Amino acid sequence: MAASLVACTPLVDPKIEKPEEMISTGVLASFQNFLRKCLVAVLSYGPMPKHIAFIMDGNRRYAKFRSIKEGAGHRVGYTALMANLMYCYEMGVKYITVYAFSIDNFKRDPSEVQSLMGLMEEKINELLENANVINKANCKINFWGNLDMLCEPVRLAAQKLMASTAGNTGLVFSVCMPYNSTYEIVNAVNGICAERKEMLHKGHAGNDASNGVDSEITVADLDRHMYSAGCPDPDIVIRTSGETRLSNFLLWQTTFSHLQNPDPLWPEFSFRHLAWAILQYQRAYPYLERNRKLAKVQPWSHVLCKDTPKEL
């Protein structure tokens, strides 16, 4: 009897939603979009950040806690990244920077590094082939770091994506990989030295030994040679998973940034966490602005405030 009942039961694909479920899902999604727009409108009455930087921490722990493959955590993390990218765009945030891969990450297990490189290549090519997100936000994508350290397929894909979005004038999305702040600063100093050397060479060729070349390196000189040249410093730096370290990320640019360390792991970071982060920034905004102004008027501001183009 049981067998006959089972046999007569229609086979239903659990992946196919029933019409009433599709309607309820659509209504719920519309209601969520409405609430999100309302909250964005409320937030916009306060000072909004121009630049948010993310340290996307917790992908591996996410996979471990849910007993899924380690690489799956990074895939869910990529989905969270795309979602938060669009949330920031809706909020009017112009610049987004993420710490995707540290130079120090090359010290990890070779199989893990290879897996991450494969994922990067896959997702970069995915953005090249399906440019919905890029087109919607008119997004310009930068890669900050030593691209020569990447395997050739990833490096070529990154360069192709940068070239294809170079003319876009909307959201500026900067991906730091492989990157650390120490390398960025050293690279900037080397760039200045090469620039001065070339100027001196031209001066000697023109029989003018000095040619107006200044021997001092200023803060403004370093700013010009940073990967972040042309971008404002981050207003907010968010490191997920509750960690409080910057891990050699944007050390030059974060003197007056509001540092936050919410508990959710990166794949769990959602719109409500982002909205709360902006509210926290708005609460701290008067304090941050006061510190910026004080740094500019102090007698030692040429050391503390890199916005003042004086000698180091």
Side-chain angles (χ1 to χ4, degrees):
M1 184 67 174
S4 63
L5 287 173
V6 172
C8 293
T9 302
L11 297 176
V12 178
D13 187 343
K15 296 180 181 178
I16 300 177
E17 294 180 331
K18 297 178 182 179
E20 62 271 17
E21 291 175 345
M22 294 173 67
I23 292 171
S24 62
T25 301
V27 170
L28 180 60
S30 298
F31 183 63
Q32 287 175 336
N33 288 339
F34 172 75
L35 288 179
R36 189 168 70 245
K37 289 178 181 178
C38 289
L39 184 51
V40 169
V42 172
L43 287 172
S44 66
Y45 279 97
M48 292 296 288
K50 295 186 181 76
H51 186 177
I52 301 179
F54 294 97
I55 302 176
M56 304 181 293
D57 197 12
N59 292 311
R60 292 191 298 174
R61 274 171 283 174
Y62 179 87
K64 183 179 179 181
F65 293 159
R66 284 158 182 76
S67 300
I68 58 177
K69 290 177 63 176
E70 194 170 275
H74 289 91
R75 289 184 177 277
V76 181
Y78 174 80
T79 302
L81 171 60
M82 290 295 103
N84 280 285
L85 197 65
M86 293 313 300
Y87 296 151
C88 288
Y89 168 71
E90 290 175 4
M91 291 179 176
V93 180
K94 172 73 173 178
Y95 300 89
I96 303 296
T97 302
V98 297
Y99 202 3
F101 192 85
S102 167
I103 290 175
D104 296 328
N105 288 154
F106 282 112
K107 299 175 184 176
R108 292 183 179 179
D109 185 271
S111 62
E112 182 185 351
V113 173
Q114 185 176 1
S115 175
L116 289 172
M117 290 295 123
L119 180 61
M120 289 175 190
E121 181 186 1
E122 175 189 331
K123 295 306 179 184
I124 293 172
N125 285 326
E126 191 176 294
L127 285 173
L128 282 165
E129 294 166 5
N130 183 12
N132 289 340
V133 173
I134 294 174
N135 293 336
K136 183 175 181 180
N138 194 20
C139 185
K140 177 181 179 180
I141 300 180
N142 302 314
F143 286 89
W144 294 352
N146 185 358
L147 296 185
D148 290 335
M149 297 180 73
L150 297 172
C151 59
E152 186 176 9
V154 180
R155 183 176 68 255
L156 293 177
Q159 290 170 342
K160 186 176 180 180
L161 185 57
M162 283 194 289
S164 68
T165 63
N168 292 349
T169 57
L171 181 71
V172 178
F173 178 40
S174 301
V175 183
C176 297
M177 58 169 269
Y179 170 94
N180 66 36
S181 196
T182 303
Y183 179 84
E184 181 183 22
I185 294 169
V186 170
N187 184 67
V189 172
N190 286 335
I192 295 169
C193 292
E195 181 182 73
R196 299 288 170 84
K197 185 176 180 181
E198 183 179 354
M199 292 170 69
L200 286 170
H201 179 73
K202 289 180 179 178
H204 285 302
N207 297 319
D208 182 1
S210 62
N211 198 32
V213 177
D214 193 347
S215 61
E216 300 291 336
I217 293 177
T218 67
V219 170
D221 290 328
L222 283 166
D223 275 338
R224 286 189 300 106
H225 287 83
M226 291 288 176
Y227 295 129
S228 57
C231 292
D233 290 344
D235 298 295
I236 310 174
V237 177
I238 298 173
R239 178 166 187 156
T240 53
S241 80
E243 294 289 342
T244 56
R245 296 171 288 112
L246 280 175
S247 295
N248 215 348
F249 177 59
L250 298 182
L251 300 183
W252 180 261
Q253 298 89 346
T254 52
T255 305
F256 299 108
S257 302
H258 190 228
L259 308 180
Q260 301 187 27
N261 57 317
D263 289 330
L265 304 175
W266 174 249
E268 301 167 335
F269 193 82
S270 64
F271 175 78
R272 65 188 178 92
H273 300 116
L274 180 61
W276 179 250
I278 292 176
L279 280 171
Q280 294 290 91
Y281 165 75
Q282 291 178 341
R283 288 179 59 190
Y285 182 79
Y287 169 78
L288 296 170
E289 279 298 289
R290 187 165 62 251
N291 280 354
R292 288 190 186 101
K293 291 176 182 177
L294 283 173
K296 288 182 179 180
V297 301
Q298 294 294 343
W300 55 85
S301 60
H302 64 289
V303 176
L304 291 181
C305 183
K306 67 185 187 64
D307 292 331
T308 307
K310 296 181 180 180
E311 296 178 358
L312 286 169

